[in-house]
Amino acid sequence: MDKIAAVSNWLDLTPQQIRCLAAEDAVAVLPLAAVEQHGEHLPLSTDLDIAEGLLRAALPQLDPQRRVCVLPALAVGLSLEHTAFAGTLSLSPECALTTVCELGDSVARAGLRRLVLFNTHGGNKAVVDMAALKLRAAHGMLVVRANYFRFAPPEDALPAAELRHGLHGGALETAMMLHLAPHKVRCEVLANHASLGQAMDAKGSLLGPEGEAGFAWMAQDLNPHGVTGNATLADATLGSRLVEHFAAALVRVIEDAAAFDLECLSRGG
């Protein structure tokens, strides 16, 4: 049989090759994204483009002794908060959770015991958390919850207020898209979209869209355009820096998942 590459694509493999990867204790990576509105300056594919771009940047940096297999991306996720805007595709919460769990079941059935759920969409956070726990309970496997937007950003990359309140379509996502897919960004309509959360923060409220005490929100609650953040701060140079930084963090996550001692997981339940 042909030698399997250190990093492989699930779709390219045969059943015997998958069995070999399981025997070699490979790490499976499932990218989770969304197809949803990001304002008029970014495409519906933004979260998927970022997921694929970060993976492209990260995978060549992995230790060549590791065995990593990337599953096909789950492009459509849980985007209930964006359904007021045309173009958004969303699974129901129940369907999203079932889908991720059943994909994880398939990974476990193939014999792999290490799974990284690599998520680039904020609305998927709860799904990732619950699916990881369900898969751990059902299969005794290591399931890593890797949400890139929870990775610490580079120091001084953006103002603190933008990082805190530019939750959707702001400088961070726009900059990465200007680096990864500049032809998809409509630079002529870049704007600063203030968030309800920023106004609440200025008044000293502990309550906000995210953070210490968050409330459930629809995108239009935070800004009528469904966008929050100052996209005019973005440029391709910043995007390159962000992609490099987040990709390096993803490399560490996958390496840590590969090195994790599975004996730490109780096999009794």
Side-chain angles (χ1 to χ4, degrees):
M1 177 177 294
D2 294 338
K3 181 177 175 59
I4 303 173
V7 177
S8 54
N9 186 325
W10 189 281
L11 295 176
D12 295 337
L13 302 177
T14 68
Q16 181 59 37
Q17 288 176 317
I18 292 290
R19 284 191 289 270
C20 288
L21 286 176
E24 294 178 343
D25 202 16
V27 178
V29 179
L30 174 59
L32 303 169
V35 176
E36 63 180 25
Q37 70 85 24
H38 280 74
E40 289 301 310
H41 61 296
L42 293 176
L44 299 169
S45 64
T46 292
D47 290 334
L48 181 60
D49 291 336
I50 290 174
E52 293 177 340
L54 291 178
L55 280 166
R56 281 197 306 272
L59 295 176
Q61 301 181 49
L62 290 168
D63 182 339
Q65 300 304 311
R66 303 296 188 198
R67 286 292 180 266
V68 177
C69 189
V70 181
L71 284 91
L74 186 57
V76 178
L78 176 55
S79 297
L80 181 61
E81 69 274 23
H82 297 287
T83 50
F85 295 87
T88 296
L89 304 178
S90 181
L91 304 176
S92 69
E94 297 79 10
C95 181
L97 177 59
T98 298
T99 299
V100 177
C101 286
E102 292 190 351
L103 290 173
D105 291 340
S106 296
V107 171
R109 188 166 57 248
L112 284 84
R113 295 195 60 215
R114 302 174 191 269
L115 174 63
V116 175
L117 301 178
F118 176 52
N119 176 37
T120 56
H121 167 50
N124 287 337
K125 291 196 303 288
V127 172
V128 168
D129 289 347
M130 183 56 69
L133 183 57
K134 286 175 69 70
L135 290 168
R136 159 65 189 88
H139 304 293
M141 64 194 304
L142 173 69
V143 186
V144 178
R145 303 166 299 178
N147 301 287
Y148 95 88
F149 41 83
R150 287 181 172 170
F151 297 168
E155 290 186 8
D156 303 321
L158 287 165
E162 178 64 19
L163 290 171
R164 181 175 175 83
H165 300 291
L167 300 176
H168 191 68
L172 190 144
E173 286 185 313
T174 303
M176 286 196 287
M177 286 297 289
L178 284 169
H179 170 64
L180 295 170
H183 60 288
K184 293 186 177 184
V185 182
R186 298 179 63 216
C187 293
E188 68 276 12
V189 293
L190 296 182
N192 182 7
H193 292 94
S195 170
L196 171 63
Q198 194 164 1
M200 295 175 70
D201 193 29
K203 294 178 180 178
S205 175
L206 185 62
L207 180 65
E210 303 291 336
E212 296 89 341
F215 60 88
W217 50 267
M218 301 291 282
Q220 65 271 24
D221 298 336
L222 305 187
N223 184 283
H225 298 282
V227 181
T228 57
N230 188 356
T232 67
L233 297 176
D235 59 45
T237 300
L238 172 61
S240 176
R241 182 183 176 195
L242 291 168
V243 167
E244 179 181 2
H245 179 86
F246 290 135
L250 179 58
V251 169
R252 290 189 59 188
V253 169
I254 296 173
E255 295 278 7
D256 286 352
F260 184 86
D261 182 2
L262 294 178
E263 293 300 320
C264 293
L265 302 178
S266 170
R267 297 179 185 274

